[in-house]
Amino acid sequence: MSTLLDKIKRHEAQVAVIGIGYVGLPLATEMAKAGFRTVGYDKSDEKVRAVNAGRSYIKDIADADLAPLVKEGRLRASSDPSVLGAADVVVICVPTPLNKTKEPDNGFIIAAAEDLKPRLHKDQLVVLESTTFPGFTREVLLPKLQESGLKVGQDFYLCFSPERVDPGNPKYHTKNTPKVVGGTTPKCLAAIQAMYGEVIERLVPVSSTDAAEMVKLLENTFRAVNIGLVNEVAIMAQKLGLDSWEIIEAAASKPFGFMPFYPGPGLGGHCIPVDPLYLSWKLKTLKYEARFIELADDINTHMPHFVVEKVATALNGDKKAVNGSRVLVLGVAYKRDIDDVRESPALDVIELLQDRGAEVSYHDPWAASVRIGEHTLKSKPLDGLDGYDAVVIVTDHSNVDYARVVREARLVIDTRNATRKVRGEARGRVIGL
Ligand code: SAJ
């Protein structure tokens, strides 16, 4: 242990990050910036080539950050698993999606563990950052790694530390976001505190890897349940003839005991719609039904249908059917000012409109094309707005001229309150969520 701690102290420890995506690349960059020779291990040759050419594919990491580290030899990428054996510290940052039946798919972590196991060596620190259910590190990853014959807390150290990357957040990034850390044994915890303490401004140690796993799931379940609540408020407000955004903005004036969330067309991204279901799945194995999580998931996944019903009703107001209408969806990314369309509710809205016979186009300055079923749609220029029977704002990117949209479009359905400041200039009806 002392050699590992000495190496960390002297910044001579070598780091390998398995999975250099939106979590792994920023972490690898911070480790290299702190002076640790770091290698990003990834099966994607494209990612490996880009990093070694000093080119970032992650919006929050500029080439200007990456290239000098690569040039100085402090950061590189490789698809050769032997780099794992040379590392003193290995951090696993691979995806943890749901499978088709909405159950946890930890296949990428298991594959990473299989790559690591034959290369695991004495005094190595292994950290899992991928979001998973409480108990996974202890029940699944630990036995897998101990098949190597090495003993945790004695020969190697195994920890869990949840990632807290908020893509596109201008203020918080890897270094200045407090980091929760949990160890399998006290020595494991000491090892991760030594290592992460050299890179991240504030650590939040907890009593176990299970606790650290649960912290992450609470954070994201908190968001999913509160978004589900305000989406139901939007549904209730419609029945009450109220404007949900007005109600929430006014409630947000309460300086204590309230935190605003806003209704929208549904829940996108690969975290908030997914992580809470890891928790409810685990509790099901313990014969408990996590009702808030399931209810929030029901409401959030219903929102695209709610939006399409709204479009249908609005078109009816112009004596038009959805069938045969030309509809422009404005914004397809899962949230504003990013290019990621994974799990985006816009994809559901487009598909549901197409199923009802609408001729659907989209415009998104961040996303040039999207796959809808077997077809690929390309972003249309924001022209000829009066040629559409309806324009549906699904993602409220900042770089769209909403004044122009309401001036030119005949009918606008605004699911993000993006037109709140320009409705006075509207040519036709602007309908909120
Ligand atoms: N959304 C709403 N209403 C809201 C907030 C969000 O409808 O009031 C929607 C968004 O449009 C989006 C989805 O929910 O479709 C998720 O939004 P998000 O803001 O949670 O963004 P993510 O998933 O990119 O990032 C979140 C992080 N976000 C914040 O803390 C602001 C954080 O929870 C995690 O660091 C990250 O997930 C993760 O990796 O777990």
Side-chain angles (χ1 to χ4, degrees), residues 163 165-166 216 220 223 262 267-268 271-272 334-335 416:
E163 56 92 356
V165 177
D166 184 22
K216 174 68 180 178
N220 283 3
R223 290 184 70 72
Y262 299 96
L267 210 46
C271 310
I272 306 304
Y334 79 78
K335 71 174 184 179
R416 295 285 194 175

Side-chain angles (χ1 to χ4, degrees), residues 1 21 26 133 174 180 189 203 226 237 244 262 274 291 302 319 349 399:
M1 171 77 157
F133 59 78
T174 301
V180 170
L189 181 60
L203 301 184
N226 277 287
S244 57
Y262 299 96
V274 172
R291 286 164 292 169
H302 169 72
K319 295 190 176 30
V349 168
N399 60 345

Side-chain angles (χ1 to χ4, degrees), residues 93-97 105-109 130 278 342:
C93 302
V94 295
T96 46
D105 173 1
N106 289 298
F108 291 106
I109 305 179
S130 306
Y278 267 70
R342 279 177 293 185

